[in-house]
Every structure is written in structure tokens, then in C-alpha cells.
Amino acid sequence: MLRFAEEIMLLLLENEGEKFLRVPDLALRYALAGGVLMDLAMEDRIDTDLERLILVDATPLGDDILDPVLGDIAKAGAKRDARYWVERAAERAYETREAAIERLIARGILERREDRFLWVLRSRRYPVADGTAEVEVKLRILEVLLEEVVPTPRDVAIICLADACGLFTELLPGPEYRQALPRIELVRGMDLIGREVVAAITDIWRVGRTLGSEPRPR
């Protein structure tokens, strides 16, 4: 199974993979940070409540996307909330992005060619590490939002994350975005995995708008 960071990068591919969609830098950083924390939660390494992000298991996963953030959490003496760790994980967003792209290339999903990224496989499915095939993330998300396909827990998590970071306004044309809004709101109510992470990101953006500028990591 792909990590959320890998799927976020696939979600941002345009023109059959010729380039990545340009989105605000902070939106991408927080999306990748939130994805790392959600994966750690799904791996039972962390948990969250209204006040704290809790370390459940410090055992490394042997994963170059997740282990650096897990190590930071394990080394932290004080208990911090989800917002703090979203902002800390966002500081590693460049490394997370590059690691995710390199994995997609190693899996044979993308090919790097003179600063462009091309789909190696033209089908809407791609192989993952265990030899199974997974439906491409953009197709899955559009089916959930526009065709009311029942989402998986991972689909719910990535939709909530993309919405919190404002990615859908960049990904969907105006009419499709307006059509999808009620469905996005419905899916947001299903989120159990990353609710506090998504709430933290939403709060970061809300404060940034109130202050009249984009939020900056502390």
C-alpha cells in the first residue's frame, strides 16, 4: 500500500503525469505533514485526543518517510498537541516530498525524465509492494466525490486532508468543486483516523486568514 505522501503527490499530477500541479507551498507542506501523521496513526505508532498527540509505540517502521517524524515524537520530552506536530512535520516536507517521488519511481509508477515525471503505466491501476494492484488515487477520490462511491477509511482520510489544505480548489474546476462540496462535507463527518490532525490544519489556516496572511510554521 502506498503512503499518504505518495498518494498526495499522485493526486497532484497533471496531464497524465507530465508535471505536478502548482499549489501554494504551505498547502503542500501541511498536506504532506498531515499525511505522515495519519500514516503513523494507522500504523498504531501514535494516537491523538483533543489536547495531545500520544506516542503509542516508538519502534521504527523501517520507513524513510515516517521514521524521521516518529523519531522526533519519541525524543520529545513534553507532551504536545496535534497542531504542534503538524507544524514540526511540515519542516520535513521537502524531504518527505522527495522520498515520496523516489518511491513512486522505484515502484515503476513514475519515470523521471529531464525534470518531468511520466506515468510508466497508463492504466488506472498500479502495482504496490505486496504485488496487488491499487486504483489510482485521483480516480478513487473523484468517484467518491462525484459518483457517491462508498469511500474506504484511507479515502476518507485523504479527502479530509486535501480539503483542510485547500487542495480541491486547485484540483477541481469550479463547477465540479461546487458539485462536490456537499459530498466533501459528508465525508468529513466520517473521519476517525486523522480527525485531530485535520482539525489542527484547519485551525492553522483559519488563524492565518484571520491575521490576513498565510500561516507560517512555528
Side-chain angles (χ1 to χ4, degrees):
M1 180 173 292
L2 302 185
R3 295 300 187 190
F4 282 119
E6 293 171 85
E7 294 218 303
I8 289 166
M9 297 314 301
L10 289 177
L11 194 62
L12 296 178
L13 278 173
E14 288 190 297
N15 301 328
E16 294 299 320
E18 289 186 7
K19 62 179 180 178
F20 290 109
L21 178 69
R22 286 188 172 274
V23 297
D25 178 65
L26 285 178
L28 178 59
R29 289 171 61 187
Y30 286 123
L32 292 171
V36 169
L37 294 174
M38 285 181 176
D39 267 320
L40 287 173
M42 294 192 78
E43 293 285 355
D44 296 322
R45 292 305 192 269
I46 62 170
D47 198 0
T48 57
D49 59 25
L50 293 175
E51 298 180 353
R52 296 180 302 159
L53 185 145
I54 305 153
L55 179 67
V56 175
D57 183 353
T59 306
L61 291 155
D63 186 304
D64 61 348
I65 290 177
L66 304 186
D67 283 350
V69 176
L70 178 61
D72 288 343
I73 296 170
K75 286 184 288 189
K79 301 296 183 185
R80 304 283 190 167
D81 61 10
R83 175 171 178 157
Y84 174 86
W85 285 112
V86 166
E87 293 182 322
R88 280 291 304 275
E91 295 172 4
R92 294 184 178 273
Y94 176 79
E95 292 84 357
T96 300
R97 175 186 181 275
E98 291 304 300
I101 291 172
E102 291 303 320
R103 283 197 192 183
L104 293 170
I105 293 170
R107 291 181 192 272
I109 297 170
L110 295 184
E111 178 180 313
R112 191 193 302 267
R113 190 179 300 174
E114 295 180 356
D115 295 326
R116 292 190 303 156
F117 295 92
L118 304 179
W119 280 105
V120 175
L121 300 174
R122 293 296 178 178
S123 71
R124 304 300 292 201
R125 291 177 179 268
Y126 43 67
V128 292
D130 61 3
T132 60
E134 187 163 318
V135 178
E136 187 256 309
V137 60
K138 190 174 294 186
L139 178 64
R140 296 198 331 259
I141 298 311
L142 290 179
E143 286 179 339
V144 170
L145 295 183
L146 302 178
E147 300 180 26
E148 299 192 359
V149 170
V150 177
T152 68
R154 287 189 68 88
D155 293 339
V156 171
I158 201 167
I159 287 169
C160 293
L161 186 58
D163 182 54
C165 295
L167 296 183
F168 285 128
T169 58
E170 307 288 342
L171 290 167
L172 297 176
E176 286 191 359
Y177 177 66
R178 288 190 291 273
Q179 178 187 344
L181 273 174
R183 184 69 170 167
I184 292 171
E185 288 301 312
L186 178 64
V187 171
R188 282 183 69 110
M190 302 177 186
D191 182 36
L192 296 175
I193 299 167
R195 179 170 292 168
E196 302 307 326
V197 171
V198 169
I201 295 171
T202 302
D203 184 57
I204 290 168
W205 289 120
R206 179 185 59 78
V207 171
R209 286 194 296 269
T210 301
L211 295 176
S213 63
E214 286 190 309
R216 296 185 182 275
R218 294 178 296 185

